[in-house]
Amino acid sequence: MDHDAMDLAEARYELVISVDARRSGEYDDVDKQRMRERIYRVLEAAFTHAKVARDAVHMEDRGDGVLLSVAGRIAVTRLLGLWMVEVHENLRDENRGLSVPLGLRVGMHVGPVRHDGRGISGRAVDLACRLADSPLARRLLDAERADLVLVTSQSLYEDVVSSGGKFIEPAHYSSARLELKEGEVTAWFHLPGRPAPEIPTAAPAAPDADRADDVDDARDVRDVSDTRGVDDAPDADDVRRVDGENRADAPRAHYTVHGDMSQHSDNVYQQPVHIGRITGDAGRRKG
């Protein structure tokens, strides 16, 4: 009997590892099958060399990657240290002579994991997958022309990586903030065999996105213009705003007038003209 067997309602505190292949959508059907075979060779050989018993590892196929969880009886330092070294070296061996090298993104987090007949689930699983699939992990792998990028959660870095150990060098990790579906988190990035990676700045927006932003900005400006005259104006009965005539030789004028106003421009009068309101007796009509 498996001494690790537990009630399905109970969660096991395990290391979750998400492994994704770089640009898997660019492989045709034949090459994708070969790519999958390489991934399994790399991972399984690493478990063997790191002396991690096969029955301590749960492994699920994800088409273009693998989802794993490792039983709590296996030291996490062995997976972060020796196992990662073996994964990297095995991957380099597989990539020799390939015109399109296989690149892997690995996300790691420790947390409660629930097992059932179909696989594993839980927030720890979700986070490990999000880390491996993060845009920054993808960008680092391409920008550094690397074979492998490891992304760990903040808690895993603080609890294990920061203390160091065999093949674990905390100074070779760099942190960054990631915006995930569950919210913003801190993650730590490591390129095996290299110094701490330089975290790239945000990529410039795509041209289409730039145009969309311009449209939104213009819409925002129009919204402000449309409401400013209404919100800032005194009572309509007391104030009337009159725009001056927009001539090519005269600037546009704007007046705020309390009471009555008439505006005349470039008029020629042939006889005396009274402009304005007539009040009092003079304004009454004789019967």
Side-chain angles (χ1 to χ4, degrees), residues 66-85:
V66 184
L67 177 63
L68 310 103
S69 65
V70 182
R73 72 176 190 266
I74 305 298
V76 176
T77 51
R78 192 185 308 176
L79 279 302
L80 278 166
L82 180 57
W83 184 78
M84 281 304 306
V85 169

Side-chain angles (χ1 to χ4, degrees), residues 183-257:
E184 194 175 63
V185 301
T186 297
W188 290 82
F189 295 80
H190 173 56
L191 300 172
R194 303 190 186 192
E198 181 177 348
I199 301 300
T201 56
D208 289 345
D210 286 341
R211 286 195 293 271
D213 291 342
D214 290 342
V215 171
D216 290 339
D217 291 343
R219 185 179 298 114
D220 292 341
V221 171
R222 288 197 299 272
D223 291 344
V224 172
S225 299
D226 291 344
T227 59
R228 184 180 299 143
V230 175
D231 294 339
D232 295 344
D235 293 341
D237 292 339
D238 298 331
V239 178
R240 297 172 187 166
R241 292 183 174 177
V242 182
D243 288 334
E245 187 174 346
N246 189 13
R247 303 193 311 254
D249 59 345
R252 187 174 178 84
H254 185 84
Y255 307 95
T256 299
V257 180

Side-chain angles (χ1 to χ4, degrees), residues 124-232:
V125 176
D126 295 342
L127 180 54
C129 293
R130 299 273 192 267
L131 295 177
D133 194 45
S134 64
L136 184 51
R138 295 171 181 270
R139 291 179 60 198
L140 271 178
L141 200 61
D142 288 338
E144 298 292 334
R145 299 181 180 276
D147 298 306
L148 175 68
V149 59
L150 168 65
V151 191
T152 73
S153 63
Q154 172 77 353
S155 60
L156 181 55
Y157 180 87
E158 291 178 346
D159 295 343
V160 181
V161 176
S162 63
S163 299
K166 190 173 183 179
F167 304 117
I168 300 176
E169 299 179 272
H172 289 188
Y173 285 70
S174 295
S175 65
R177 297 290 288 173
L178 301 180
E179 187 64 43
L180 307 180
K181 291 182 179 180
E182 295 79 6
E184 194 175 63
V185 301
T186 297
W188 290 82
F189 295 80
H190 173 56
L191 300 172
R194 303 190 186 192
E198 181 177 348
I199 301 300
T201 56
D208 289 345
D210 286 341
R211 286 195 293 271
D213 291 342
D214 290 342
V215 171
D216 290 339
D217 291 343
R219 185 179 298 114
D220 292 341
V221 171
R222 288 197 299 272
D223 291 344
V224 172
S225 299
D226 291 344
T227 59
R228 184 180 299 143
V230 175
D231 294 339
D232 295 344

Side-chain angles (χ1 to χ4, degrees), residues 82-99:
L82 180 57
W83 184 78
M84 281 304 306
V85 169
E86 291 293 339
V87 169
H88 184 225
E89 291 302 318
N90 294 340
L91 183 57
R92 291 178 63 192
D93 287 341
E94 289 285 346
N95 281 337
R96 286 193 176 95
L98 293 181
S99 57

